Amino acid sequence: MKILVCISHVPDTTSKINFTNGDSEFDTNGVQFVINPNDEFGLTRAIWFKEQQGANVTVVNVGGTDAEATLRKALAIGADEAIRVNANPTDGYFVAKQLAEVVKNGSYDLVIAGKESLDYNGGMVPGMLAAMLGYDFVNSCIKLDVNGTDATAVREIDGGKETLSTKLPLVIGGQKGLVEEKDLKIPNMRGIMMARQKQLNVLEPVQATNATSAVKFEKPAPKSAVKLISPDNLDELVNLLHNEAKVI
């Protein structure tokens, strides 16, 4: 089984976020980048298939040279090879088009992507990728088993879970639950050394039009100061909740 894991190169959640050029561009200065958490769950599941079923695992990213450190980390975790499509990933349709080309040329049986990236939170790429390929698609996937060409997936739905049976080739949009957090792998020294010897291929993008563009970014408004009310002054509390907070 050949597995392709889509990796997004995203800011660490602890990073301080700022924007430049009239709030039209993300300021990357001083920002630490990591593997997108939803993608990391998918990568860990792919490595399980490698260890238990002999699958071959390739990771792919659409991005610049700065993303190669993230791809090297994925290789250190256990992926067999990596692909970087040399393009700026500013639009979901454009990214899906690049990934579809990689899948077609690589004849992958299973494509694992995170259901959304931590930065744009668009949640568009996995579904568009499946549509472009004509593959079955399971989003919000929290469990996946494969036996030959048969696959069983569990996904989250409103108020519960749904178990689906399908066949390869398949695209999934994975999330937390695909593996347990305790099972996420941390690269060890041996993995890091081996990653230096593994292949990282750089491909030029295919022609595709950006369907959207960012006009402006805006940070959430800062939280207002907390007002402390004496527990003996219930009338004041009720007044503030009714007239100022307007929650009662």
Side-chain angles (χ1 to χ4, degrees):
M1 179 169 58
K2 292 184 67 177
I3 303 175
L4 182 69
V5 182
C6 305
I7 299 291
S8 291
H9 175 69
V10 301
D12 191 301
T13 54
T14 60
S15 300
K16 186 176 180 180
I17 302 302
N18 290 301
F19 304 106
T20 59
N21 293 337
D23 292 336
S24 64
E25 295 180 9
F26 173 55
D27 185 0
T28 60
N29 289 323
V31 175
Q32 178 72 30
F33 283 80
V34 297
I35 297 175
N36 181 50
N38 285 324
D39 302 341
E40 192 169 5
F41 288 114
L43 174 60
T44 303
R45 189 59 178 166
I47 299 303
W48 185 92
F49 285 124
K50 174 183 175 179
E51 294 171 347
Q52 301 298 320
Q53 300 182 9
N56 178 273
V57 179
T58 300
V59 290
V60 60
N61 168 265
V62 179
T65 56
D66 57 327
E68 291 191 3
T70 295
L71 286 173
R72 287 292 179 193
K73 180 180 178 182
L75 291 172
I77 287 173
D80 297 296
E81 59 182 304
I83 297 170
R84 179 175 68 83
V85 180
N86 188 31
N88 190 15
T90 56
D91 174 72
Y93 178 82
F94 178 85
V95 170
K97 196 75 172 177
Q98 307 309 317
L99 295 175
E101 190 70 14
V102 172
V103 175
K104 291 173 184 176
N105 292 333
S107 301
Y108 295 97
D109 305 297
L110 174 63
V111 181
I112 301 177
K115 71 169 185 177
E116 62 183 354
S117 62
L118 195 68
D119 47 6
Y120 288 98
N121 296 112
M124 300 181 290
V125 172
M128 287 193 290
L129 174 59
M132 291 174 184
L133 295 170
Y135 287 6
D136 284 351
F137 173 52
V138 179
N139 202 22
S140 302
C141 186
I142 55 173
K143 185 177 180 181
L144 178 67
D145 293 303
V146 178
N147 182 14
T149 60
D150 296 321
T152 302
V154 179
R155 71 185 187 103
E156 281 192 349
I157 59 174
D158 288 343
K161 301 175 183 178
E162 181 181 38
T163 301
L164 303 167
S165 61
T166 182
K167 288 187 176 292
L168 303 183
L170 173 69
V171 176
I172 71 162
Q175 64 176 59
K176 181 179 179 181
L178 195 55
V179 298
E180 298 295 330
E181 287 190 69
K182 64 180 178 62
D183 294 327
L184 294 176
K185 297 180 179 293
I186 299 174
N188 54 32
M189 185 55 67
R190 182 172 182 270
I192 293 171
M193 296 301 293
M194 291 180 63
R196 296 178 180 177
Q197 309 302 319
K198 293 178 179 178
Q199 193 167 2
L200 197 164
N201 299 311
V202 179
L203 306 178
E204 291 305 312
V206 296
Q207 182 64 37
T209 303
N210 284 341
T212 60
S213 61
V215 177
K216 185 178 181 181
F217 294 99
E218 184 177 347
K219 291 197 280 188
K223 294 182 179 179
S224 58
V226 175
K227 289 185 178 180
L228 298 177
I229 307 299
S230 170
D232 298 325
N233 194 357
L234 294 181
D235 290 340
E236 178 63 12
L237 176 60
V238 172
N239 176 58
L240 290 172
L241 290 174
H242 181 69
N243 296 311
E244 187 170 316
K246 298 186 185 303
V247 295
I248 61 174

